[in-house]
Amino acid sequence: MIRSVVRGVGSALPRRVMKNTDFEGVLETSDAWIVQRTGIRQRHIAGDDETTASLGEAAARAALASAGLTPDDVDMILLATSTPNNTFPATAVDIQSRLGMRHGFAFDMQAVCSGFVYAVVTADAYIRGGLAKRIVVIGAETFSRILDWTDRSTCVLFGDGAGAIVLEASEEPGAPGDRGVLAAALRSDGTHKDKLFVDGGPSTTGTVGHLRMEGREVFKHAVGMITDVIEATFDQAKITAEDLDWFVPHQANRRIIDASAKKLGIADEKVVVTVDLHGNTSAASVPLALSVAVSDGRINKGDLVMLEAMGGGFTWGAVLIRW
Ligand code: UT7
């Protein structure tokens, strides 16, 4: 059967690093509060010349280079983002043109923090459906541009960045040992739409708006939703937490990551954590974490890797990949 196998991974971060201490004196907050409540120590913030398109392009180039491929070898670009360069066209077509691609097709997906997981599952369906053979799947965000920098309950949490993978169609035996995307579960529930949202948009205010979040409410639902889709994915693949080599969760809050891993029985040493370095980069968080764990030698060919995310909507999902 046809499976979507990961050929390469890459990432890009803005030059500027903002430490927790940089908020002290500007807002009523502290490094100690941020670290204790979230695990975040720093985040990268885009400069004037850095955008979702430029970061996404850099991550795509890095992923292609690690795959030993060029843009000529790819037939589709899928970008998960909630912070596009423009309302339209899709930032993915901007990235397509920056890569010099005059063939294939590109579009954006919007599932906020779950965007990359949704995009991997979508790309896998395009590959298995025969619509594309090689896809660059990107998560790229510049949340710094939609933050209310006077709101300490949100602005300390988020950062900017981009990560990407290259997925390629591969004929596999159809056995549990297959490489590629093996199982997935996606969910959304729009009754929670006002708990994490942006208070502007083209069809309402005609403005871009700012991120608003009832953090405690999101927190309350997060662990249950995350563990639910991961257990559904375990059931589909007929595996247990013990079979996993790596757990690469959405990087929003260290406490949510730890509580989810504990509830699922995933050992601490299998959990990839980068929230301390990047903060919450929404759709970029999972591919940024993947990129770190691949480049430092933790994730290797043949490893069983569970990706997971939860965010605005609410949306949530999990995808199991044999690397
Ligand atoms: O990526 C999408 C998913 N998003 C998330 O997963 C975020 C989920 N939520 C969270 O991670 C946590 O709820 C937060 C980190 C946002 C907040 O942590 P918390 O433990 O839930 O704190 P809280 O909201 O209950 O606030 C506790 C106190 C409040 O003061 P009072 O009301 O107890 O006097 C806040 O006003 O902490 C205060 N506070 C702060 N204090 C210092 C809120 N933000 C800050 C801050 N510095 N930056």
Side-chain angles (χ1 to χ4, degrees):
M1 68 184 289
I2 301 288
R3 297 272 197 200
S4 310
V5 170
V6 179
R7 276 286 302 266
V9 54
S11 61
L13 288 161
R15 287 180 301 275
R16 181 178 163 222
V17 174
M18 187 174 182
K19 304 266 185 201
N20 291 346
T21 45
D22 295 335
F23 288 102
E24 293 177 353
V26 184
L27 290 171
E28 218 177 295
T29 189
S30 64
D31 176 49
W33 189 95
I34 301 169
V35 172
Q36 195 233 332
R37 296 295 176 118
T38 71
I40 298 166
R41 293 181 183 276
Q42 62 171 48
R43 72 286 292 141
H44 289 249
I45 301 293
D48 290 344
D49 60 337
E50 293 170 315
T51 65
T52 295
S54 73
L55 294 167
E57 175 201 358
R61 285 191 187 280
L64 285 166
S66 85
L69 298 170
T70 73
D72 288 343
D73 302 315
V74 170
D75 35 31
M76 170 173 157
I77 295 174
L78 182 51
L79 170 68
T81 191
S82 300
T83 45
N85 274 37
N86 297 84
T87 301
F88 76 78
T91 302
V93 301
D94 189 342
I95 294 173
Q96 180 190 25
S97 111
R98 287 162 179 261
L99 292 174
M101 262 177 82
R102 298 293 296 275
H103 64 280
F105 62 105
F107 62 96
D108 290 358
M109 287 198 68
Q110 216 268 53
V112 203
C113 296
S114 310
F116 186 76
V117 169
Y118 268 58
V120 169
V121 175
T122 303
D124 174 51
Y126 274 69
I127 285 175
R128 286 187 295 106
L131 286 154
K133 286 207 158 30
R134 287 203 195 99
I135 305 177
V136 184
V137 185
I138 309 166
E141 303 279 16
T142 44
F143 261 49
S144 63
R145 305 260 156 79
I146 54 165
L147 294 175
D148 174 351
W149 287 95
T150 65
D151 175 12
R152 69 175 183 174
S153 72
T154 54
C155 73
V156 303
L157 304 174
F158 294 90
D160 302 333
I165 62 172
V166 180
L167 284 179
E168 179 180 70
S170 169
E171 189 72 45
E172 297 286 318
D178 281 0
R179 289 186 68 205
V181 174
L182 301 179
L186 299 181
R187 290 276 293 121
S188 68
D189 181 353
T191 60
H192 297 291
K193 70 182 175 57
D194 296 332
K195 297 188 177 99
L196 173 49
F197 69 106
V198 168
D199 62 4
S203 188
T204 49
T205 58
T207 62
V208 171
H210 292 104
L211 182 146
R212 306 290 172 204
M213 177 166 74
E214 292 176 37
R216 219 174 301 190
E217 278 297 307
V218 180
F219 199 111
K220 210 169 75 187
H221 288 88
V223 177
M225 288 177 163
I226 289 164
T227 52
D228 190 44
V229 281
I230 291 174
E231 277 164 354
T233 311
F234 282 159
D235 288 348
Q236 278 176 51
K238 300 188 178 55
I239 63 158
T240 68
E242 298 212 334
D243 299 313
L244 281 187
D245 294 298
W246 300 107
F247 178 45
V248 186
H250 174 46
Q251 309 285 321
N253 186 317
R254 178 75 202 234
R255 287 150 63 209
I256 296 174
I257 295 172
D258 289 347
S260 306
K262 189 164 177 227
K263 194 169 167 200
L264 290 158
I266 300 171
D268 286 351
E269 59 273 18
K270 294 182 178 178
V271 184
V272 176
V273 178
T274 52
V275 69
D276 52 333
L277 301 173
H278 304 150
N280 181 350
T281 57
S282 191
S285 98
V286 170
L288 272 169
L290 271 177
S291 184
V292 167
V294 169
S295 58
D296 68 17
R298 272 180 286 176
I299 297 180
N300 284 292
K301 200 168 167 179
D303 285 352
L304 206 46
V305 183
M306 179 71 79
L307 315 183
E308 155 278 296
M310 180 268 177
F314 294 147
T315 56
W316 63 108
V319 58
L320 180 71
I321 303 176
R322 188 175 304 280
W323 211 257

